[in-house]
Amino acid sequence: MERRLHIAFVLDSFRIGGTEINAVRTAEQLCAEGVRLTVFYLSDDGALRDRYEALDIEMHHAPIRNFYSPATFRQGFRLAAMIRKAGIDIAHTHDMYTNVFALPYLRLASDCMVLASRRWGKSVFPASLNFLNRFALRFAHRVLGNSNAVSDLLADVDHVPAEKIVTLPNFVDDDVFASAGEVMKDWPGVTIPADAIVAGVVARLEPVKNHKLVIRAIADTPDTVHLVVVGDGSERPKLESLVRKLGLDNRIHFLGEVPAGSKIQRHFDVCVLSSHDEGFPNSIVEAMAMGKPVIATAVGGVVDAVEDGETGVLVEPGNHSAMSDAIRSLCENAELRNKMGMAGLSIAQERYSRAAVISALMNIYRQMSAESRG
């Protein structure tokens, strides 16, 4: 019989975000595959905690205030000691903060294999954190990039040797594919005309997502085009003020955060992302899996997912006229929307299904475990 793997996830928090949602989906699938999973986390807040607790797995809190205090050093050695005592095969860090905090201790004070992650683009974190992350990645046996673009950053910016880099995209739950082609117009808390063409953006309301671009672009489209903004964040007051200034209150609607797994893209005719920078956005892949065409800025891992002219339209970052032209052209052409949506669905089924991605991840774990035993 094949030996049962014991994997440790090291997480920053349980808050809702692309990295966090991908981690909990992966955890659920690994447990279904028979993997023994233990979770270590830095912050205990967040809506996703219940999903981990439902797995009935061991969970350990390792709170830190910063990276430099004596208490942080003690937590690092405590983490390594617990992983060593538990006989964990592979410790998998999922984000910038757990890379920086955990990787040196895991490599120096435990005997497990260490898999780090990079799931962000070039401009998300300050230079000081990027420097610390580059240093910490030296302690990993492998580093996972979630798109070709991110793996290129690992090689070119983080100077990770090519033999250590593995590329594995985020995946889409099977029930998302089951909703492909559905068109839902039962909007929670907002009023949108039944005959409206709805563009939607699902992203944190933070500067890097550049919602201002798509908001201004909507001003140059026909009145029948409405925009739904899903997510929350520090930019919301500024964005709502911009909408009022442009006189678009009746065409642009803020929904705030919606529960993970709500498949909100079913409501959209077109899915939009206007970011300055990206790693590999879940919202784009989920939109494709629901048969929706995508309009997005050509940044980071977006260019790995969206085939320009086939599954959607890629525009230059910050190009207001190109964004408005793309939204107008798709919103006016239902046949093109359907053609691009079906092409995106086909690609998502091939590349981003749960079965394909989890199988590849299990192979990475098995290879690392075999190297350790060797």
Side-chain angles (χ1 to χ4, degrees):
M1 292 181 63
E2 185 177 12
R3 180 176 172 275
R4 187 186 185 195
L5 286 173
H6 190 177
I7 307 296
F9 274 16
V10 189
L11 311 170
D12 176 34
S13 77
F14 303 114
R15 291 187 291 272
I16 292 177
T19 294
E20 292 80 5
I21 290 173
N22 184 74
V24 73
R25 287 174 178 168
T26 303
E28 290 164 344
Q29 296 309 313
L30 291 179
C31 289
E33 293 280 334
V35 170
R36 181 182 174 189
L37 183 67
T38 301
V39 170
F40 299 85
Y41 55 94
L42 307 186
S43 176
D44 62 0
D45 64 322
L48 298 177
R49 182 186 180 100
D50 290 346
R51 290 176 63 173
Y52 284 100
E53 291 179 341
L55 297 175
D56 193 26
I57 58 178
E58 285 189 46
M59 298 173 62
H60 301 280
H61 193 192
I64 63 172
R65 292 185 178 180
N66 55 54
F67 292 129
Y68 311 107
S69 71
T72 299
F73 297 145
R74 289 193 294 272
Q75 283 287 11
F77 284 113
R78 171 177 171 263
L79 168 68
M82 286 192 292
I83 283 179
R84 186 174 63 249
K85 183 177 180 181
I88 286 168
D89 298 296
I90 300 160
H92 185 171
T93 59
H94 284 260
D95 51 77
M96 166 76 83
Y97 298 103
T98 54
N99 285 349
V100 173
F101 163 65
L103 291 178
Y105 300 102
L106 292 173
R107 188 64 185 271
L108 297 175
S110 77
D111 53 3
C112 70
M113 298 292 282
V114 181
L115 174 64
S117 302
R118 176 165 181 154
R119 299 179 177 277
W120 60 92
K122 293 183 287 188
S123 58
V124 177
F125 295 100
S128 57
L129 267 180
N130 284 318
F131 173 80
L132 290 173
N133 184 68
R134 281 195 295 273
F135 172 75
L137 291 179
R138 297 182 180 189
F139 293 92
H141 294 95
R142 296 284 191 283
V143 187
L144 187 155
N146 64 342
S147 70
N148 291 329
V150 169
S151 291
D152 288 344
L153 289 175
L154 284 170
D156 300 337
V157 177
D158 295 323
H159 308 298
V160 177
E163 63 270 18
K164 284 189 174 185
I165 299 172
V166 292
T167 304
L168 187 71
N170 301 348
F171 70 90
V172 178
D173 285 329
D174 289 350
D175 62 342
V176 175
F177 288 107
S179 65
E182 292 183 14
V183 178
M184 310 289 291
K185 293 296 175 76
D186 182 19
W187 293 101
V190 298
T191 302
I192 299 177
D195 60 347
I197 302 297
V198 178
V201 54
V202 180
R204 301 187 324 275
L205 305 190
E206 300 296 341
V208 70
K209 301 299 183 179
N210 195 21
H211 288 77
K212 293 178 182 178
L213 177 65
V214 65
I215 287 172
R216 291 194 172 101
I218 290 294
D220 294 335
T221 62
D223 291 344
T224 53
V225 178
H226 285 238
L227 176 69
V228 171
V229 181
V230 180
D232 215 337
S234 64
E235 287 283 285
R236 181 164 181 168
K238 294 179 182 178
L239 296 174
E240 290 177 329
S241 176
L242 175 61
V243 167
R244 291 191 295 270
K245 180 180 178 181
L246 296 174
L248 297 173
D249 307 62
N250 62 333
R251 292 177 55 203
I252 297 182
H253 316 274
F254 290 85
L255 289 192
E257 285 190 352
V258 300
S262 62
K263 296 176 283 189
I264 191 68
Q265 287 98 330
R266 289 181 299 168
H267 295 267
F268 305 155
D269 296 293
V270 178
C271 296
V272 185
L273 194 66
S274 51
S275 304
H276 290 303
D277 191 21
E278 282 289 349
F280 190 78
N282 285 340
S283 63
I284 291 296
V285 179
E286 289 174 354
M288 292 168 59
M290 292 183 216
K292 305 297 179 179
V294 173
I295 299 170
T297 45
V299 296
V302 172
V303 300
D304 296 323
V306 180
E307 297 190 3
D308 189 29
E310 298 294 327
T311 65
V313 181
L314 294 175
V315 302
E316 181 184 359
N319 191 326
H320 164 267
S321 61
M323 178 64 75
S324 59
D325 288 347
I327 293 173
R328 189 185 306 109
S329 65
L330 276 183
C331 286
E332 292 175 351
N333 192 332
E335 183 179 352
L336 181 59
R337 292 199 303 271
N338 182 66
K339 179 183 177 182
M340 287 184 167
M342 291 304 99
L345 171 60
S346 178
I347 288 175
Q349 288 172 327
E350 177 185 350
R351 301 178 187 173
Y352 311 124
S353 70
R354 177 183 65 187
V357 175
I358 292 299
S359 175
L361 178 61
M362 287 295 296
N363 284 337
I364 293 169
Y365 286 158
R366 291 188 186 105
Q367 289 169 6
M368 294 179 68
S369 178
E371 288 178 19
S372 176
R373 292 195 301 274

